[in-house]
Amino acid sequence: MAVRLFVGNLAYDVTEAELREFFSTVAAPSDVRLPTDRETGRPRGFAFVEFADRAHAEEAITRFNQQIFKGRPLAVSEA
């Protein structure tokens, strides 16, 4: 069963490809979503990263919560 993670406190210039590459050090994410603002089209500062395996998701939370990414500490938790 897939597990979706919330990734907060992202820099506004982060791309889906960068997030996918960053989280791939644990395992390849099955999905990465970077919501954008309707009016400006700019990222909203958070994302959802999904892993097919719960163990990989839990490892990602442990490894990346409060980890510095592009100059900001990430907030990673189960969505």
Side-chain angles (χ1 to χ4, degrees), residues 3-8 22-23 25-27 49-51 53-67 74-79:
V3 179
R4 180 175 274 200
L5 302 180
F6 172 82
V7 182
F22 185 72
F23 279 90
T25 59
V26 170
V49 177
E50 191 171 287
F51 287 96
D53 183 35
R54 175 165 290 282
H56 291 143
E58 289 174 0
E59 183 180 343
I61 292 170
T62 302
R63 187 183 294 184
F64 300 128
N65 190 41
Q66 297 304 311
Q67 170 102 9
L74 296 179
V76 182
S77 62
E78 191 168 342

